[in-house]
Amino acid sequence: MADTPDPGKPQPGFYPDPSGVMRWWDGNSWTEHVQGGAPPPPGPPARKSHAVRNILLAILAVFILAVGGCFAFLSITANEVNEAIESVEADDAAPGGADNPLTIVEGQPFEVSGFQYAAGWTVTEDPFGDATVEGLKVTNARESNDAALVEIKFMQGNEVVALVNCTTEQIPVGQTTTLNCVSVDDFPANYDRITINDTF
């Protein structure tokens, strides 16, 4: 008598196995025989290499930092230059500065931007008949060593009738020295005031 199939088990044939492949079921277990090999289920997507992108991003970041650094440096430098210009302009506009001559009185003390000029100086005619200034002493009360480079002008109204240039070497802070004054202009017969200003 022939075996009768067990009604609880599938009959032999091709069935999808747990992986989805059509595999031969012999009635008891799966075999190695497959049909129409279905593709395996998709795995995780392959990871793309981003090495080139990362290198380009790093180069871009370095470039941005370099450009930003240049702009920062230029900005700081520009600020320092502007401050220096403003400082020079302020010094030039101060009484006795290059753009603002200070009227002085013979023999009387005066101050120009931290240089303190002592009393007792005189204006006179040198042996060649030129205008000169004698005994003009200055004390450096500025914050650092500096030299005096000044013009002393004999004025008649708005006209300069004689010009005397007076200079010193670098003067240490707190030290007093006498200016060396020279001119090639004749001592004027008439003048109504004397002014002093830095040459620059």
Side-chain angles (χ1 to χ4, degrees):
M1 174 170 179
D3 288 335
T4 58
D6 183 353
K9 288 186 180 179
Q11 296 299 314
F14 284 101
Y15 298 97
D17 71 5
S19 68
V21 174
M22 295 299 287
R23 187 175 300 278
W24 182 260
W25 175 259
D26 65 2
N28 291 312
S29 63
W30 296 109
T31 68
E32 294 298 317
H33 303 289
V34 293
Q35 179 184 43
R47 294 189 60 167
K48 294 181 180 178
S49 171
H50 298 294
V52 173
R53 181 197 68 183
N54 292 344
I55 290 170
L56 291 175
L57 287 174
I59 291 171
L60 179 62
V62 169
F63 175 76
I64 290 171
L65 287 173
V67 170
C70 287
F71 279 120
F73 174 76
L74 290 175
S75 176
I76 291 169
T77 302
N79 286 341
E80 290 176 357
V81 169
N82 285 340
E83 288 174 6
I85 290 171
E86 289 172 2
S87 175
V88 168
E89 289 175 347
D91 289 345
D92 288 351
D99 297 335
N100 188 13
L102 174 69
T103 298
I104 55 178
V105 177
E106 182 177 1
Q108 297 299 308
F110 59 92
E111 182 176 343
V112 175
S113 299
F115 272 169
Q116 298 169 344
Y117 294 86
W121 56 278
T122 59
V123 295
T124 187
E125 186 176 334
D126 72 12
F128 303 103
D130 296 331
T132 191
V133 177
E134 293 183 349
L136 183 58
K137 295 183 178 182
V138 62
T139 301
N140 181 3
R142 295 180 176 177
E143 295 179 356
S144 60
N145 297 351
D146 207 348
L149 305 168
V150 298
E151 295 175 333
I152 295 178
K153 298 173 184 170
F154 294 78
M155 303 294 296
Q156 182 68 42
N158 289 328
E159 180 184 358
V160 178
V161 293
L163 171 66
V164 179
N165 289 299
C166 298
T167 62
T168 67
E169 297 295 325
Q170 288 284 318
I171 310 169
V173 175
Q175 183 173 311
T176 301
T177 190
T178 302
L179 283 87
N180 179 28
C181 299
V182 295
S183 176
V184 294
D185 293 334
D186 293 337
F187 190 86
N190 295 303
Y191 61 92
D192 55 24
R193 71 185 190 282
I194 302 170
T195 66
I196 188 170
N197 62 268
D198 291 330
T199 54
F200 58 86

